[in-house]
Amino acid sequence: MSDTALSPSLAATATWVEEFVVRLNVCPFAGRELARDTIRYVEVDGRALEPALMALMDACHQLEVAPEVETSLLVFSHGLADFDDYLDALAMAEALLVNQGYEGVFQLASFHPDYVFDGVEDDDPANFTNRSPWPVWHLLREEGLERALAHYPDPEAIPERNIERLREIGSAALARQLEELRQRFC
């Protein structure tokens, strides 16, 4: 789907996947899915938690009935801008996945413009491994993830390799790239 057909938040997120995640190889598995066009982008309004959680359940259902889609990115175009609120909502989303029997079936990866890992300084470039133009819940098929990891040498080294690469680029440059990406689609 072309970026012109997407809302600004979805277009920015799709471009972020291509220009950051794939180009910098932050996720060595994303390039294949991008090339195969198996990533579904869903715009979600996060101003109210219940509809956001319902959107997550709908995304689970869509993955169940559409095996040609490998993964879904739920992009919060409104709401969840505060990182602490986002983390609270994420905890509820993860609990809902377990409650609905999706543990071991789907997994959530989380991304936010202000993402900060616990125990890491705010300005550490390592945080950019999980920073995105808008808040995102990335819903992955566990089975697909396990298949990809089985064929990748030393998957445990991925986070450290990413941190090293992003520290070489630096926080200022990474923040500028993320902001330029957001502005390009606003």
Side-chain angles (χ1 to χ4, degrees):
M1 185 179 295
S2 74
D3 288 351
T4 57
L6 300 175
S7 71
S9 59
L10 294 184
T13 302
T15 302
W16 168 75
V17 167
E18 184 177 341
E19 292 182 2
F20 178 78
V21 176
V22 172
R23 188 169 294 150
L24 291 180
N25 201 28
V26 174
C27 174
F29 318 114
R32 176 176 184 245
E33 302 313 324
L34 183 67
R36 293 174 59 212
D37 196 25
T38 61
I39 302 170
R40 181 173 176 250
Y41 298 89
V42 180
E43 188 166 16
V44 178
D45 188 330
R47 289 177 283 200
L49 187 57
E50 187 174 334
L53 294 173
M54 293 300 294
L56 175 62
M57 290 297 97
D58 183 57
C60 290
H61 175 71
Q62 291 298 318
L63 285 176
E64 287 178 318
V65 300
E68 68 277 5
V69 177
E70 185 61 33
T71 189
S72 293
L73 278 79
L74 285 75
V75 180
F76 294 92
S77 57
H78 301 286
L80 300 183
D82 179 82
F83 186 54
D84 290 329
D85 292 344
Y86 171 83
L87 290 177
D88 291 343
L90 177 66
M92 288 183 218
E94 289 172 334
L96 181 61
L97 287 176
V98 171
N99 179 272
Q100 295 299 306
Y102 288 121
E103 185 174 32
V105 178
F106 299 119
Q107 181 181 120
L108 275 180
S110 61
F111 302 90
H112 190 278
D114 299 320
Y115 202 100
V116 177
F117 288 104
D118 191 33
V120 175
E121 294 295 323
D122 287 0
D123 64 346
D124 190 319
N127 293 313
F128 282 89
T129 63
N130 286 64
R131 287 192 182 170
S132 55
W134 268 265
V136 173
W137 289 343
H138 182 189
L139 186 63
L140 301 108
R141 295 177 187 272
E142 289 252 352
E143 183 180 318
L145 185 58
E146 289 169 6
R147 271 194 318 269
L149 289 171
H151 300 289
Y152 189 82
D154 198 16
E156 295 81 21
I158 294 170
E160 289 305 316
R161 184 203 65 210
N162 287 340
I163 291 168
E164 183 179 319
R165 179 178 296 129
L166 296 181
R167 284 182 176 157
E168 288 172 4
I169 296 170
S171 286
L174 291 164
R176 189 171 44 256
Q177 289 172 8
L178 199 58
E179 183 57 28
E180 286 171 1
L181 184 59
R182 257 185 88 96
Q183 294 304 317
R184 187 181 336 163
F185 293 98
C186 288

